[in-house]
Amino acid sequence: NQGSILSKLIYINVGLFLIVRLLSVAFILFNMNADTVLFWLQVPSSPIQLLYRPWTLLTYMFTHFDFLHIIFNMLWLYWFGGLFLNFFSERQLGGLSGALLYIVSYNFFPYFSNVSAHSTLMGASASVMAIVFAVSFYKKDMEISLLLIGRIKLIYLALFTLGIDLLAITSDNAGGHIAHIG
């Protein structure tokens, strides 16, 4: 109750991660489909499916399944979330635009036509990237120290991550990279 919004977001993400993983283990032990747990939390790329699960526009941002996925998202959130709160209010969200760009892209580009009916998106990456970009573009001259690289302006870090996401739009995690751009 007394922690910052940043602490609360990290606790929510980690708590939901643990619940999802424990439920998945229980489902597997009872020979049930473990994907059922994620089905109700991930945002679908299909607008028809989204009509039946509109809450997933919010729940996808807090849902992780892989350990490295949540670790890296929470590290970025911790590092950039503190900077973000120095310059912006707690109410500004970027995860929703990531989900919307993902849905539009998967239903607009013919490249995704074979997978758009059953693709889903999860993770805090889009929200975290919105925080990174907001801080980086608001304080273009702010520098941070990166291990093995040295001091670098935040704007260059943001542009580098944008470049990686643009180049990876046709990768196995295309939806995630599109959401980052959103």
Side-chain angles (χ1 to χ4, degrees):
N1 285 337
Q2 297 174 358
S4 70
I5 187 68
L6 182 59
S7 298
K8 290 175 185 174
L9 286 172
I10 291 172
Y11 287 136
I12 290 168
N13 276 277
V14 171
L16 188 58
F17 168 76
L18 293 173
I19 290 168
V20 165
R21 290 305 299 245
L22 288 172
L23 283 173
S24 294
V25 168
F27 274 51
I28 291 169
L29 290 174
F30 286 101
N31 291 326
M32 299 168 65
N33 186 356
D35 291 338
T36 304
V37 176
L38 294 175
F39 176 83
W40 295 105
L41 299 172
Q42 297 172 319
V43 68
S45 61
S46 165
I48 301 299
Q49 290 179 18
L50 184 61
L51 287 174
Y52 294 101
R53 297 180 307 200
W55 61 86
T56 61
L57 286 170
L58 294 177
T59 59
Y60 97 94
M61 292 183 247
F62 301 98
T63 305
H64 298 82
F65 193 77
D66 295 321
F67 182 72
L68 288 177
H69 190 203
I70 191 165
I71 283 294
F72 283 110
N73 278 342
M74 295 305 100
L75 286 173
W76 277 75
L77 178 60
Y78 177 76
W79 290 325
F80 284 92
L83 290 173
F84 180 86
L85 291 175
N86 287 333
F87 308 117
F88 301 100
S89 76
E90 299 172 354
R91 303 241 184 253
Q92 297 165 329
L93 298 173
L96 191 57
S97 62
L100 295 175
L101 184 61
Y102 158 75
I103 293 166
V104 168
S105 295
Y106 266 56
N107 289 281
F108 178 77
F109 293 114
Y111 177 79
F112 300 114
S113 62
N114 293 338
V115 295
S116 64
H118 58 273
S119 292
T120 56
L121 179 69
M122 71 172 160
S125 303
S127 301
V128 172
M129 292 313 294
I131 290 169
V132 170
F133 277 86
V135 171
S136 297
F137 282 93
Y138 184 73
K139 288 290 188 180
K140 292 180 182 81
D141 291 330
M142 180 179 264
E143 292 184 352
I144 59 169
S145 291
L146 295 178
L147 185 67
L148 303 176
I149 295 175
R151 298 202 54 79
I152 184 172
K153 289 186 179 184
L154 284 180
I155 189 72
Y156 297 136
L157 179 64
L159 292 173
F160 178 75
T161 58
L162 175 64
I164 289 173
D165 287 325
L166 286 171
L167 293 174
I169 285 179
T170 57
S171 71
D172 289 342
N173 185 23
H177 293 290
I178 290 169
H180 293 174
I181 295 166

